[in-house]
Amino acid sequence: MPILGPLGRRPAGTMLTAFTVLATAWLSPAAATPVPDSPTRTATTSDVWTVAAPQGNKDQLTADVVRDDATGALTLTVRRGADEVLPDSPLGLRTKDADLTRGLDVLGRDDRSLREQYEMTTGKQRRVDSPMTESRFALRGDGGVRMDLVVRVARDGVAFRYELPDSKGTVVTGEASGYRLPSDAPAWLLPHTSWYEEVRGETTAGGAAADDYGYPALFEVAADDYVLLTESGMDSTYPGSKLAHAAGSGAYDVALAEAEVVSPGDLATPWRTAIVGDLATVTESTLVSDLAPDAEFSDTSWIRPGTVSWSWLVEHDSPRDFERQKDYVDYAAAHGWEYTLVDEGWSREWVPELVRYARAKGVDILLWFRWWEVDTPQEMDTVFGELNDWGVKGVKVDFMNSGGGEPEGVGRHAWYEDVLAATAEHKLLVNFHGATLPKGLQRTWPHLMTYEAVRGHEYYSFNQPLTPTYNTMLPFTRNVVGSADVTPGTFSMTNRTHSDAHELALPVVYESGLQHPADSPETYATLPEAERVLDQLPTVWDETRYLGGRPGDDAVLARRAGDRWFVGGIHAGAAGTAEADLGRLGADDGERLLVELVTDGADGLARETRRVDGDARLTVPVAENGGFVAVVCAAGSGRTTCDEPVRTTPATGLAITPDAATAAPGDEIEVTGRFAAADGESATLRNVTLGARPQAGWTAAGENVARPALRPGQALSGSWTVRVPESAEPGYVDVPVVAEYRAPGAGLAEPRVHVERAVRVLVAPPVPRGDAHVGDLHLLTASNGWGPVEIDTSVGDNGAGDGAPLTIGGTTYAKGLGAHAPSRVTVYLGGACTSFTAQVGVDDEVGDRGSVSFRALGDGTELTTTGTLRGTDAAQPVTADVTGVDLLTLEVADGGDGISYDHADWADPKVTCG
């Protein structure tokens, strides 16, 4: 590893959270005096206007807007000090009515200084203060059409966009925008897809194959001069773009995802953004969020980034398993992690109970969705409202790269805005997967915690492991522009080629507002040093500093939270040593530092503690494809560790009666509750309340009870009369009884612990009479492994109503249920029936694939079951005695082969009743 680079100054002062304009001035064309021409131009062929970054130093960025007198075309040239880093990059738009790429006249120039000061809930630093210079060039082109070119220059980059001040609207057919890089410039490029998950590789600007490349694209244009190309300020008026490249040149042109952009009025394009500087400047840059619109709301008190236990990667089927998800909740609770994510396969039958289980332990639940499940405003309101009722705190939304429409088009960007507005209204955190790249929305919508848009650790399970070389590229490319949900911390993958210390460093090296350590509780239990680091690791950072490295070789980053620095280093290649100048962390003169270092030892992860001077140079051994983590804090008198106590939630007990009830509209149910700390707990609970909280339309007569303190051995009790409304529909309704309290050591701004149990009330439908088909009864529960349970058709595909006639072994049935294992359907018999019959089997639509078993239960007791049935089998008859049964449940299970073609039919399912 190379010697590590400088850190810069310590943070100073509290930042404002508002956009501040410092100065503005209008310059007529005559006043816009050209600066001296570059060596490649003469005053007789072009005019040059310079926009300079606010600070003045040898590395100051400047942008030259150049008009060619012969063609009237504009180009942009960017310099860093004396170095020309982006020469002659073309500018302009094409519309259906005008070619605004040539024949342009500069009518005037408006200059202003501005300062972006704001706070982030995620990202490299919590408070941002970014001064910029902006110049607006008023242009007139083809047919007198007006266009403004707006150029901004900051300490860390240059951006430009176009504005069309035409209230009658316009149709954009493309941009002339592009970048001209030296052909021999090293380049780290990502072949473009709409989900940004291809393998990023190293090439040269000219040597890259002819292709479309995705943002961000990194180029080393000269010694210590880097350019990272991306876009910012996206909204639903304009599509995303990519970089179109022809082989053999350094030309990279902006290509829009849609052929036409229809604007009904004034139009402003996204910012074409070039982050420019040394690797420290690029890595630490906040330019993408600096250019984005300010936050849509100011109350961020409900937004809590955090560490998330997550089972899907190492156990793909585990999100279907309620009991296994409780294991992940238990692990999160024991280690002070904030969340558990339940990924694909969760069931609404048990999620509310899992949420209650988790919240009592101080853990909140996040849920996975396909984006088309929350596609419309009505779906968003219904689904997100139900999540609020359950107590879910966030959503992981997936597959925006598919599902119809252009994934980078204006329609999909409108969906992003709609779903962010809806989740903000319902106070739900958001994690976008199968998604576009971060382009500033994390500033505009502070509850947007992270994006995928990266080839992350899930690819280990697809037998496409990430290489150490690839890992070292991400901090300098993808993670520069926004949070990256790489899901690091996966130690049990046997196809991993880097060391444990390398893997442990990744959650430090990669920033994400929700960090998902992606291994099992059992694996982490065998790695106590990894557990210790993960338990201490924040996900919100006050500042980030580049310490060293080069993409493809190594990366060392330091991130500060409060008074502690977390340093992560990853390396690709042979074993060696790394040096870190701790003086660059900004310690005061004479200050001593405590360093707790975790590296690859002979027998696994090894920890050592050092006390060093604040300006010491730390030498760290790194194994082949290895890494390290260091936690650094002030070495105060008697301080032996930088660790802070892991806060866990006291164990409590909430008992309610009854647990369940069956009622009719208008009935009343007597409910009691008793809350206390569990035996053996010694903490006093503060500000304790206890009450019934029925849903809207239901009422609870009786007072809520409260105590300012609940000491060990004390209890809080209450009783309520709950009334079922006359308008209640048949089905299950939970009536929650809730205790809330402030946990020991919790601050006033922290959420109170929520302990909830619920009376499961069945509002009974009418009992069946005579011979009744099950599909004609009210389905109290109906869950499927894929798609909805279908009535009188096969399950078909994932949508409702897309099935075909029920057919087993060549016989077609008019009535029945189309299922997909695992499936569960429950109907109410009310003790009025005597027998159940059906023909069961694998639907012919999947041919000879699939294997399933069927089971019928009466009030939870097995009545009958089949062996494994396969796609080649004829229908098998099923009969069961249901005398006295209130609830009949029909289950379909996978036959054990793991094949996902298990379309299973309950054909002609009937009950005979009195």
Side-chain angles (χ1 to χ4, degrees):
M1 281 188 185
I3 293 177
L4 307 181
L7 285 173
R9 295 198 308 268
R10 300 181 70 177
T14 301
M15 307 303 179
L16 302 176
T17 58
F19 175 93
T20 306
V21 177
L22 300 182
T24 182
W26 172 260
L27 300 180
S28 68
T33 306
V35 300
D37 299 302
S38 71
T40 59
R41 305 185 189 95
T42 66
T44 59
T45 61
S46 61
D47 294 321
V48 183
W49 293 266
T50 295
V51 188
Q55 75 277 18
N57 56 57
K58 67 182 181 64
D59 293 328
Q60 182 180 32
L61 293 185
T62 56
D64 292 347
V65 176
V66 182
R67 178 184 179 277
D68 186 289
D69 287 343
T71 64
L74 296 181
T75 56
L76 183 75
T77 292
V78 177
R79 290 186 178 82
R80 180 177 179 231
D83 295 339
E84 194 173 78
V85 295
L86 267 180
D88 301 323
S89 297
L91 301 170
L93 280 178
R94 299 179 184 88
T95 75
K96 274 194 171 181
D97 299 322
D99 182 356
L100 301 175
T101 67
R102 345 174 18 94
L104 296 169
D105 293 324
V106 179
L107 305 179
R109 170 179 172 176
D110 183 20
D111 292 337
R112 64 172 181 165
S113 296
L114 54 92
R115 196 167 185 172
E116 294 289 336
Q117 296 177 303
Y118 57 96
E119 293 192 15
M120 294 285 289
T121 57
T122 59
K124 292 170 246 183
Q125 61 188 79
R126 193 192 303 257
R127 296 183 177 91
V128 180
D129 184 359
S130 180
M132 300 184 197
T133 301
E134 179 185 279
S135 291
R136 176 182 297 270
F137 296 89
L139 307 171
R140 181 174 60 204
D142 186 12
V145 174
R146 276 287 315 281
M147 178 178 73
D148 287 354
L149 169 68
V150 185
V151 179
R152 287 187 180 179
V153 185
R155 63 165 187 84
D156 53 347
V158 174
F160 64 89
R161 74 178 181 189
Y162 311 105
E163 297 183 10
L164 296 177
D166 185 353
S167 60
K168 296 180 181 179
T170 189
V171 177
V172 174
T173 58
E175 296 186 22
S177 310
Y179 305 96
R180 301 297 177 256
L181 289 308
S183 292
D184 60 351
W188 293 268
L189 300 178
L190 176 76
H192 179 265
T193 64
S194 60
W195 57 101
Y196 297 88
E197 294 179 28
E198 294 302 308
V199 176
R200 187 179 295 272
E202 182 173 357
T203 179
T204 61
D211 203 348
D212 291 335
Y213 291 95
Y215 301 119
L218 179 65
F219 302 87
E220 185 180 11
V221 297
D224 212 28
D225 283 335
Y226 290 81
V227 174
L228 185 77
L229 302 178
T230 189
E231 59 185 350
S232 178
M234 293 295 304
D235 63 26
S236 57
T237 63
Y238 211 80
S241 68
K242 54 196 172 184
L243 295 171
H245 171 62
S249 77
Y252 288 79
D253 293 317
V254 173
L256 302 183
E258 294 179 310
E260 291 187 350
V261 185
V262 180
S263 174
D266 295 350
L267 176 68
T269 72
W271 292 100
R272 304 289 164 229
T273 305
I275 299 172
V276 179
D278 56 18
L279 272 181
T281 301
V282 170
T283 307
E284 299 168 17
S285 172
T286 59
L287 187 59
V288 169
S289 59
D290 296 345
L291 294 165
D294 208 357
E296 287 283 339
F297 56 89
S298 59
D299 177 16
T300 60
S301 60
W302 56 275
I303 298 172
R304 185 170 66 140
T307 303
V308 188
S309 65
W310 177 53
S311 67
W312 180 90
L313 181 59
V314 292
E315 305 171 17
H316 282 0
D317 290 335
S318 61
R320 303 180 187 277
D321 187 339
F322 172 57
E323 293 299 326
R324 186 55 173 157
Q325 291 308 298
K326 288 166 66 176
D327 293 339
Y328 280 82
V329 168
D330 290 345
Y331 188 84
H335 292 267
W337 295 6
E338 289 82 0
Y339 299 101
T340 294
L341 167 66
V342 190
D343 213 287
E344 180 179 14
W346 59 267
S347 170
R348 65 190 317 279
E349 291 185 29
W350 51 255
V351 160
E353 184 58 34
L354 181 68
V355 173
R356 296 185 193 106
Y357 181 84
R359 295 180 80 181
K361 294 172 174 282
V363 177
D364 283 314
I365 296 296
L366 312 173
L367 289 182
W368 176 92
F369 285 88
R370 303 171 186 89
W371 80 271
W372 54 84
E373 295 172 323
V374 285
D375 185 19
T376 67
Q378 181 179 3
E379 288 174 342
M380 293 176 196
D381 189 57
T382 299
V383 171
F384 298 153
E386 185 170 49
L387 298 189
N388 287 160
D389 293 340
W390 294 347
V392 170
K393 295 300 181 182
V395 292
K396 172 182 175 180
V397 193
D398 209 344
F399 299 134
M400 282 75 77
N401 58 292
S402 61
E406 167 52 55
E408 288 276 13
V410 294
R412 192 61 48 82
H413 283 290
W415 177 87
Y416 281 111
E417 293 175 1
D418 289 345
V419 80
L420 287 168
T423 47
E425 180 180 353
H426 290 278
K427 294 188 176 180
L428 296 168
L429 305 182
V430 177
N431 174 1
F432 282 140
H433 265 238
T436 188
L437 195 74
K439 299 174 183 179
L441 283 179
Q442 287 184 272
R443 175 183 176 184
T444 308
W445 298 98
H447 63 306
L448 175 51
M449 294 287 96
T450 192
Y451 289 75
E452 189 178 29
V454 68
R455 178 171 287 237
H457 277 44
E458 69 178 8
Y459 280 83
Y460 285 110
S461 66
F462 306 150
N463 201 29
Q464 299 177 55
L466 312 182
T467 68
T469 297
Y470 169 84
N471 289 345
T472 65
M473 295 180 188
L474 296 185
F476 308 115
T477 53
R478 165 62 181 85
N479 214 184
V480 172
V481 301
S483 297
D485 191 19
V486 184
T487 67
T490 311
F491 296 93
S492 62
M493 291 296 179
T494 57
N495 51 354
R496 180 165 52 89
T497 59
H498 56 262
S499 75
D500 282 355
H502 182 122
E503 184 68 22
L504 183 61
L506 294 179
V508 182
V509 174
Y510 301 151
E511 183 277 324
S512 180
L514 294 174
Q515 195 69 267
H516 295 79
D519 223 318
S520 68
E522 293 81 6
T523 295
Y524 288 132
T526 67
L527 298 164
E529 291 300 343
E531 282 189 314
R532 184 172 170 182
V533 170
L534 294 174
D535 291 354
Q536 293 295 312
L537 194 62
T539 62
V540 178
W541 303 106
D542 294 304
E543 60 179 316
T544 294
R545 291 290 177 264
Y546 163 86
L547 298 188
R550 185 177 187 275
D553 297 332
D554 40 45
V556 184
L557 275 73
R559 303 189 192 273
R560 182 178 65 84
D563 63 357
R564 298 187 296 172
W565 284 94
F566 292 78
V567 182
I570 57 175
H571 174 65
T577 59
E579 288 189 347
D581 184 356
L582 298 184
R584 296 164 182 169
L585 296 180
D588 294 331
D589 291 343
E591 186 176 2
R592 294 275 289 173
L593 297 177
L594 182 65
V595 180
E596 295 187 82
L597 184 66
V598 180
T599 59
D600 293 300
D603 300 313
L605 293 171
R607 177 181 291 261
E608 64 172 299
T609 301
R610 305 181 190 178
R611 289 179 178 270
V612 300
D613 291 334
D615 59 355
R617 189 176 298 276
L618 188 70
T619 300
V620 183
V622 288
E624 180 182 4
N625 297 326
F628 69 91
V629 174
V631 186
V632 183
C633 60
S637 175
R639 189 170 190 177
T640 60
T641 180
C642 296
D643 286 355
E644 295 178 351
V646 175
R647 280 179 45 192
T648 58
T649 299
T652 58
L654 174 59
I656 63 170
T657 58
D659 290 327
T662 300
D667 285 355
E668 292 184 343
I669 306 165
E670 297 299 321
V671 176
T672 66
R674 183 181 185 276
F675 176 72
D679 292 342
E681 286 288 345
S682 59
T684 295
L685 312 181
R686 303 288 180 183
N687 304 117
V688 187
T689 60
L690 176 67
R693 297 185 184 178
Q695 69 179 34
W698 293 54
T699 59
E703 295 295 325
N704 290 343
V705 291
R707 275 193 183 178
L710 194 65
R711 294 177 175 82
Q714 295 180 328
L716 193 61
S717 299
S719 62
W720 306 270
T721 300
V722 175
R723 188 175 187 278
V724 183
E726 297 286 352
S727 60
E729 296 290 332
Y732 286 107
V733 175
D734 285 346
V735 177
V737 176
V738 174
E740 290 186 333
Y741 67 92
R742 191 168 307 286
L748 294 178
E750 294 183 56
R752 299 168 75 203
V753 179
H754 180 105
V755 182
E756 177 180 318
R757 290 195 62 191
V759 181
R760 185 77 159 157
V761 179
L762 171 59
V763 181
V767 297
R769 300 296 180 190
D771 289 342
H773 284 278
V774 171
D776 294 336
L777 303 180
H778 183 93
L779 304 187
L780 297 175
T781 66
S783 64
N784 250 4
W786 178 255
V789 173
E790 298 284 2
I791 307 297
D792 300 336
T793 69
S794 69
V795 76
D797 207 338
N798 190 46
D802 60 6
L806 295 161
T807 307
I808 307 172
T811 301
T812 299
Y813 299 85
K815 303 289 288 184
L817 302 174
H820 187 295
S823 176
R824 182 182 176 90
V825 173
T826 303
V827 294
Y828 182 68
L829 304 184
C833 305
T834 57
S835 67
F836 165 73
T837 61
Q839 299 287 323
V840 299
V842 177
D843 194 277
D844 289 351
E845 69 185 353
V846 295
D848 60 358
R849 298 171 294 182
S851 61
V852 296
S853 62
F854 295 79
R855 187 166 75 135
L857 300 93
D859 297 329
T861 300
E862 183 178 291
L863 302 177
T864 185
T865 186
T866 69
T868 299
L869 303 181
R870 304 186 183 280
T872 55
D873 295 337
Q876 177 173 319
V878 169
T879 62
D881 183 353
V882 294
T883 302
V885 168
D886 286 326
L887 297 173
L888 173 65
T889 300
L890 307 180
E891 292 185 345
V892 181
D894 177 78
D897 58 8
I899 296 176
S900 59
Y901 300 111
D902 294 337
H903 290 202
D905 298 339
W906 294 90
D908 201 23
K910 291 187 295 187
V911 289
T912 300
C913 310

